[in-house]
Amino acid sequence: MPDRRQPDPSTDDNPFAAPPEGRPDQPWEPRDGGGDGRDGDRDRRGVDPDGGSGGGPARWDPTDPVQRRARYAMLSGMWGFFFGIFGIPSMGLLLGALALYWGITALRGRPAAPAPTDGTPPPSGLAALGLAARPQRTAAISGLVTASLAILLAASSYAVQLAYKDFYVCRDDALTKTAELQCNTLLPDNPIGTVLKSRR
């Protein structure tokens, strides 16, 4: 009877290779020897399976009002700024005010987390979010900046309309293009008057 072929030594490290002839079956063990493999999962994904951050990137929690307001502030401020640029100051002022409110409350609010049991006061604001605080703080600050710009654009638009009210009333009441062009005499000879002047 011919001799059996010896197992290839290169397959000794292969976890899927069949065991050598005559060796009893052994229970599976993780390669790093770290218990039930949960630490390995945490190292690969950067997140603890039990819900902790484990030193990796934190995920956005939409159920947390602080994080939700930070995102609202960024989106409202951005759209308020766009409405201000496109000449719709009423919407720019509304969205800018909302973004300002949401941004401030996000920076000062308390996240939805249980209070510590050792009697110490819970941390307030985005600092209590740990690793999730950095992107949410960036979103809140971006919302505050764009909200300030949107409110500034809206206030400037209303100030110009108030300063040159006679021109706007004349232009709105003009029935013909010739009458509208005559309203240009009510504008001052400066860059603002040049921008507001009716064109043929």
Side-chain angles (χ1 to χ4, degrees):
M1 182 174 180
D3 295 338
R4 293 181 179 270
R5 296 186 59 184
Q6 297 296 326
D8 188 358
S10 61
T11 62
D12 291 343
D13 294 333
N14 186 359
F16 302 103
E21 188 72 21
R23 179 182 296 179
D25 292 338
Q26 296 179 351
W28 177 86
E29 292 182 359
R31 283 179 171 267
D32 56 359
D36 57 356
R38 293 168 64 88
D39 293 338
D41 292 341
R42 178 179 59 187
D43 294 338
R44 287 191 296 269
R45 297 193 306 264
V47 179
D48 193 341
D50 294 331
S53 59
R59 297 180 60 186
W60 177 58
D61 183 11
T63 62
D64 191 343
V66 174
Q67 300 186 48
R68 199 165 57 240
R69 289 173 184 173
R71 297 297 177 95
Y72 288 166
M74 181 181 64
L75 294 175
S76 298
M78 178 182 64
W79 281 107
F81 178 70
F82 287 154
F83 278 118
I85 290 179
F86 295 149
I88 310 177
S90 57
M91 289 297 298
L93 184 62
L94 174 62
L95 292 175
L98 287 174
L100 202 64
Y101 168 74
W102 280 326
I104 293 175
T105 54
L107 292 175
R108 300 183 60 185
R110 296 181 182 275
T117 57
D118 55 359
T120 58
S124 62
L126 291 175
L129 298 178
L131 293 176
R134 185 173 182 180
Q136 306 311 323
R137 184 180 292 109
T138 302
I141 293 176
S142 300
L144 290 177
V145 172
T146 52
S148 302
L149 293 175
I151 293 175
L152 181 61
L153 289 174
S156 300
S157 177
Y158 285 128
V160 169
Q161 293 180 24
L162 183 63
Y164 304 108
K165 181 179 180 181
D166 294 338
F167 166 75
Y168 283 102
V169 172
C170 177
R171 190 185 65 177
D172 294 339
D173 294 341
L175 300 178
T176 62
K177 189 64 177 180
T178 303
E180 182 180 348
L181 292 174
Q182 291 178 353
C183 297
N184 291 337
T185 58
L186 300 175
L187 292 173
D189 189 12
N190 57 23
I192 297 179
T194 304
V195 172
L196 298 177
K197 186 179 297 184
S198 299
R199 304 292 193 274
R200 290 186 180 272

